[in-house]
Amino acid sequence: MEINIRAIVTGASGMVGEGVLHECLLDPQVEAVLVVGRKPCGTVHPKLKEIIHTDFFDISPIADQLIGYNACYFCLGVSSVGMKEPEYYRLTYTLTLNVAQTLSKLNPDTTFCYVSGTGTDSTEKGRFMWARVKGKTENDLMKLPFKQVFAFRPGYMHPTPGLKNTNKYYKYITWMYPLLRWVFPGGVSTLAELGRAMINVTRFGYSKQVIEVIDIKVLAKMG
């Protein structure tokens, strides 16, 4: 059954969130988008509203403005490079679960899509700190009373032309994209495919909750 999507997007001032937001604004199936961020995303569109909120560990002051949405595309995240586990855990697991727990109470009929990463450790016992923390985050999100929860595990994401928050180092490697997609089909997608996959998994569901790169490509073609 077709649904009209009303989506909350976080992380829209970063590369991934901006790319997902871009696809939401293009898609006629998405009727409204609410960006929640620490700073303005820099995008203006008739179906876009924005809330600037600096403390994601306490979103109670804006809770009444989050009611009435049926999707959340959670693209907020930090790199683990140079970070000790307690701080990475706080900014990855604690922050994400705090937002998700509040949303699950406000909008239980929500499809929650979490941007994780390829190599995430679902056992929570592996040697890589970031992968354990991401794995626990995925696992505990899936216990929340949402309509659907999906953990997206993208690898290399080819940026969408024209967007302003593309990571600077991408300019050195984007020329390799056609070769990378051919050699590593299970590790390479476009940012546009990620955004379309989130929209389509909200519309149609999927047989798996953990969405690898191959699944992202399948979902992006649905509809």
Side-chain angles (χ1 to χ4, degrees):
M1 182 176 67
E2 292 290 343
I3 65 169
N4 292 320
I5 298 173
R6 297 178 57 81
I8 295 172
V9 177
T10 67
S13 60
M15 174 178 158
V16 176
E18 183 187 31
V20 170
L21 171 62
H22 182 72
E23 296 305 314
C24 288
L25 297 178
L26 289 176
D27 197 308
Q29 201 68 37
V30 181
E31 67 176 23
V33 183
L34 175 66
V35 165
V36 183
R38 297 186 182 97
K39 58 184 180 180
C41 68
T43 300
V44 177
H45 192 278
K47 63 182 178 182
L48 172 63
K49 293 182 179 180
E50 189 168 19
I51 298 173
I52 306 303
H53 185 72
T54 57
D55 185 7
F56 276 70
F57 293 97
D58 181 13
I59 61 170
S60 59
I62 61 170
D64 60 337
Q65 299 177 69
L66 307 178
I67 298 171
Y69 292 86
N70 58 9
C72 178
Y73 304 145
F74 197 91
C75 307
L76 186 65
V78 296
S79 170
S80 64
V81 176
M83 195 174 291
K84 299 293 186 182
E85 184 164 352
E87 184 64 5
Y88 184 72
Y89 183 95
R90 176 176 173 272
L91 293 174
T92 299
Y93 176 86
T94 306
L95 184 151
T96 304
L97 265 292
N98 177 74
V99 174
Q101 286 166 348
T102 300
L103 289 179
S104 70
K105 296 172 184 175
L106 295 172
N107 303 312
D109 197 34
T110 286
T111 294
F112 192 95
C113 295
Y114 172 62
V115 178
S116 186
T118 188
T120 292
D121 177 19
S122 297
T123 72
E124 306 176 28
K125 298 177 181 179
R127 59 180 293 201
F128 297 108
M129 176 272 286
W130 74 267
R132 294 194 306 270
V133 174
K134 286 278 194 179
K136 179 171 177 57
T137 305
E138 289 183 0
N139 291 339
D140 287 359
L141 284 172
M142 292 175 187
K143 297 173 185 175
L144 295 178
F146 285 115
K147 177 183 177 182
Q148 306 180 100
V149 176
F150 297 98
F152 282 73
R153 295 183 177 181
Y156 170 78
M157 289 175 285
H158 191 65
T160 301
L163 300 189
K164 57 184 178 293
N165 291 320
T166 300
N167 294 338
K168 293 181 180 179
Y169 69 84
Y170 268 67
K171 66 182 179 181
Y172 300 110
I173 58 177
T174 51
W175 65 272
M176 295 191 297
Y177 167 67
L179 177 62
L180 291 172
R181 191 169 176 110
W182 180 68
V183 176
F184 304 109
V188 177
S189 67
T190 67
L191 187 50
E193 285 174 323
L194 176 68
R196 291 198 299 270
M198 287 187 174
I199 293 167
N200 286 337
V201 84
T202 305
R203 296 172 62 193
F204 307 118
Y206 198 60
S207 59
K208 295 184 286 184
Q209 286 184 282
V210 174
I211 311 298
E212 304 284 359
V213 173
I214 295 297
D215 304 298
I216 289 172
K217 293 177 182 178
V218 170
L219 281 161
K221 295 178 181 177
M222 287 185 176

